[in-house]
Amino acid sequence: MILPIVAFGDPVLKKKAAPITKDYPKLKELIADMYDTMYHAHGVGLAAPQIGLSIQLFITDGAPFEEEDVKDFKKVFINPVITHEEGNFWTFNEGCLSIPDVREDVDRPEIVHISYYDENFKFHENVVYSGLSARIIQHEYDHIQGVLFTDHLSALRKRLLKKKLIDISKGRIDVGYRMKFPSK
Ligand code: ZN
């Protein structure tokens, strides 16, 4: 089932999400719905706060990038902890399903070490990702900390984007997928 994606300006996107236990109600269905929602919107990652749930869960699928290192990057991350980041900072032009039509360059370290539970609540300790898969993880991990990619921009870039972000929060935008606007 395709769920509406919460737009910029909704307080749920600014909140630190809570961990869940393996008896979280209808977890399998929730994950399936999140995949439907992400694919419908042509995303490569989706975090639970983006569908209005303040829990520590995000999903990924790097296939749309058509690059070797993310081809098989369809994964579910539950209660993840980034334990370490390393490598050179590199720039990537990021976007976000909650902030349609906005793309900005963001600098992040190349490599992440992450511990997490998968969809079967199997624990994975200190798995290392680099390149685009690391980038997707960093962006989605930010979401469950209540951080958006626009928070990483310079004061000047933020100022230039301000009107556009207000328009998005008020639903004054054409989007090809279902959204929920905080002040429409
Ligand atoms: Zn995002």
Side-chain angles (χ1 to χ4, degrees):
M1 185 174 66
I2 294 166
L3 306 167
I5 294 175
V6 167
F8 179 92
D10 192 305
V12 75
L13 295 176
K14 301 301 290 178
K15 208 171 139 187
K16 192 172 161 42
I20 59 169
T21 57
K22 65 162 163 278
D23 48 16
Y24 188 84
K26 297 184 176 172
L27 184 59
K28 286 249 146 44
E29 273 175 72
L30 171 64
I31 291 167
D33 288 348
M34 284 178 69
Y35 270 109
D36 288 348
T37 304
M38 183 181 83
Y39 290 138
H40 176 68
H42 305 291
V44 294
L46 184 72
Q50 292 182 277
I51 50 142
L53 282 179
S54 193
I55 58 172
Q56 293 180 13
L57 161 64
F58 66 81
I59 61 166
T60 68
D61 189 348
F65 279 125
E66 288 176 356
E67 281 174 46
E68 274 315 309
D69 69 321
V70 283
K71 271 224 166 87
D72 295 314
F73 188 54
K74 182 178 176 184
K75 290 194 187 299
V76 176
F77 294 83
I78 296 170
N79 302 342
V81 177
I82 288 182
T83 50
H84 185 57
E85 288 181 305
E86 61 182 320
N88 294 325
F89 277 71
W90 65 294
T91 303
F92 185 73
N93 197 246
E94 292 187 26
C96 180
L97 295 177
S98 294
I99 316 175
D101 282 350
V102 174
R103 298 202 70 94
E104 292 285 336
D105 285 346
V106 181
D107 294 331
R108 301 185 194 260
E110 204 182 332
I111 298 162
V112 294
H113 298 235
I114 188 167
S115 297
Y116 65 96
Y117 294 85
D118 65 20
E119 63 274 36
N120 301 311
F121 253 85
K122 184 172 175 267
F123 187 58
H124 299 259
E125 193 167 14
N126 256 320
V127 187
V128 181
Y129 290 98
S130 62
L132 275 177
S133 46
R135 176 63 64 141
I136 297 169
I137 287 172
Q138 289 159 326
H139 178 112
E140 301 309 326
Y141 186 78
D142 267 358
H143 272 300
I144 60 172
Q145 315 302 320
V147 174
L148 298 172
F149 83 94
T150 46
D151 294 324
H152 292 286
L153 304 176
S154 68
L156 173 65
R157 292 301 311 161
K158 279 184 195 151
R159 212 151 53 234
L160 293 170
L161 272 177
K162 200 171 172 191
K163 190 185 171 295
K164 181 120 203 215
L165 294 176
I166 291 170
D167 282 347
I168 291 171
S169 72
K170 292 185 186 302
R172 294 195 291 245
I173 184 167
D174 283 323
V175 199
Y177 47 88
R178 281 179 76 195
M179 289 197 86
K180 178 177 167 275
F181 299 98
S183 49
K184 195 174 180 176

